[in-house]
Amino acid sequence: MKAGMCKAEKVAADGPATGVPSECPARRQGAAMSRHSVTERHLRMMLDAIDEARRDDSDVFPPPSLVAGLGRLIPCDLAEFDEVDIPTRRCLGHQEVQYGGPYPEVDDEVWWLWKHQHPHCVDVEHSHGHLDVGQLTDYMPTREFRDTALYTDFMRPFVAMMVVALPTAPGRIRMYSVSRDRDRPFSDRDRLVLQLLRPHIQAVYREAARRRHEPVRLTPRELDVMRAVANGLGTEDIAGQFAVSTSTVRKHLENIFRKLGVSSRTAAVARVFPEPEPIAP
């Protein structure tokens, strides 16, 4: 992770998100925008990005095509998704697509040391994600940000960053972001595009999470096969364990893959025996 915290349907103008204080900088900026600044071409691109994410059948969560789609919509040098548990300092998810660079690796411990110098991310944390789309310059001038240890030791060369925060439990940050490594703030159109997309981004995340945790309905023998797979057994070993032919094992696996909507043994094991998610305090 470089600039963040750690390593279809019709898109309609829903207005500012509720639960955000009226004095929030992002709210003041958003109030001045006009929906007419988004062209029909941009609307089509927005629909395509959301539709692609909803159709994304990869085994990665959340759908990685959404990060790439946002990077195509908003000219940037880096597009990211980050989910962090603050009390435990655990990175629960990170995805990125670089359009510039290459950028050097950074020490995430530096983020924890200086994160209080990033007022926007502090606002995201305190609001539990109930925050309108905003960018760093809503909170402080670029020149002032360049003088911080956070910029010098961690975020360099990124001086412009726009964030789409998603609602989450207290003690967590869940957000998509786009960043630029040059002093060119994001435009009102960029902000409006992400603000219009925000409820749909949230819906894509929820749908992917629901699919990930849907009850798995396999037959008792299919579950036996999956336990054997999870224990590292190959097709011949599984056939010998259950006194069946290898073709029968392959047929069981074919049915399992179809039911789970996956295409590999690794993905099937992850769906049937998921690791428990950390619980926010």
Side-chain angles (χ1 to χ4, degrees):
M1 206 267 338
K2 179 61 182 176
M5 280 79 62
C6 65
K7 295 249 137 165
E9 292 183 3
K10 179 181 178 181
V11 180
D14 295 327
T18 59
V20 181
S22 59
E23 66 272 12
C24 169
R27 166 66 64 84
R28 291 200 303 267
Q29 292 287 338
M33 294 186 301
S34 166
R35 63 177 297 176
H36 300 296
S37 61
V38 176
T39 66
E40 182 179 350
R41 174 176 171 271
H42 286 130
L43 286 173
R44 285 199 300 268
M45 292 175 63
M46 292 159 67
L47 287 168
D48 289 343
I50 294 299
D51 187 56
E52 181 183 4
R54 285 205 164 109
R55 296 172 182 271
D56 190 334
D57 60 355
S58 71
D59 300 328
V60 180
F61 174 81
S65 58
L66 184 53
V67 174
L70 296 180
R72 292 193 301 269
L73 282 170
I74 309 297
C76 64
D77 298 300
L78 180 68
E80 294 180 282
F81 167 80
D82 287 288
E83 185 161 1
V84 178
D85 186 70
I86 303 295
T88 63
R89 295 192 174 188
R90 288 189 60 190
C91 176
L92 304 178
H94 174 72
Q95 299 171 14
E96 68 175 52
V97 178
Q98 293 188 9
Y99 298 93
Y103 303 112
E105 291 293 325
V106 293
D107 183 357
D108 290 340
E109 287 302 315
V110 177
W111 164 260
W112 294 105
L113 179 63
W114 300 116
K115 73 182 184 72
H116 63 279
Q117 295 183 346
H118 199 307
H120 191 181
C121 284
V122 170
D123 212 3
V124 171
E125 177 184 349
H126 290 167
S127 70
H128 313 310
H130 296 280
L131 192 71
D132 282 346
V133 173
Q135 61 180 318
L136 184 57
T137 52
D138 296 341
Y139 295 81
M140 64 194 306
T142 299
R143 181 178 300 178
E144 181 180 339
F145 179 63
R146 287 182 187 272
D147 290 335
T148 65
L150 177 65
Y151 173 77
T152 302
D153 298 344
F154 186 82
M155 289 189 64
R156 185 195 298 266
F158 297 101
V159 292
M161 181 181 184
M162 182 169 281
V163 170
V164 183
L166 301 183
T168 187
R172 286 194 182 182
I173 291 177
R174 180 184 298 153
M175 70 184 209
Y176 287 86
S177 63
V178 288
S179 301
R180 290 174 177 164
D181 61 10
R182 54 199 182 280
D183 189 5
R184 186 163 65 89
F186 292 96
S187 68
D188 283 349
R189 185 203 69 84
D190 296 333
R191 187 194 303 266
L192 180 57
V193 166
L194 293 182
Q195 186 67 25
L196 291 172
L197 280 178
R198 183 173 178 268
H200 303 280
I201 292 172
Q202 183 179 347
V204 167
Y205 182 97
R206 286 199 311 264
E207 290 166 8
R210 187 163 52 248
R211 290 195 302 270
R212 189 186 188 198
H213 297 294
E214 282 177 351
V216 178
R217 294 180 176 85
L218 302 179
T219 67
R221 179 43 60 93
E222 288 169 347
L223 284 172
D224 288 339
V225 170
M226 283 308 306
R227 291 188 186 98
V229 171
N231 287 328
L233 274 64
T235 301
E236 292 186 2
D237 292 331
I238 296 173
Q241 179 174 321
F242 298 119
V244 297
S245 66
T246 55
S247 61
T248 298
V249 174
R250 293 191 185 95
K251 186 63 176 179
H252 281 313
L253 289 171
E254 179 183 325
N255 291 335
I256 291 168
F257 289 177
R258 175 179 52 78
K259 290 181 179 180
L260 301 180
V262 300
S263 57
S264 71
R265 297 186 183 204
T266 301
V269 169
R271 279 282 282 116
V272 178
F273 308 112
E275 294 183 3
E277 294 227 354
I279 300 174

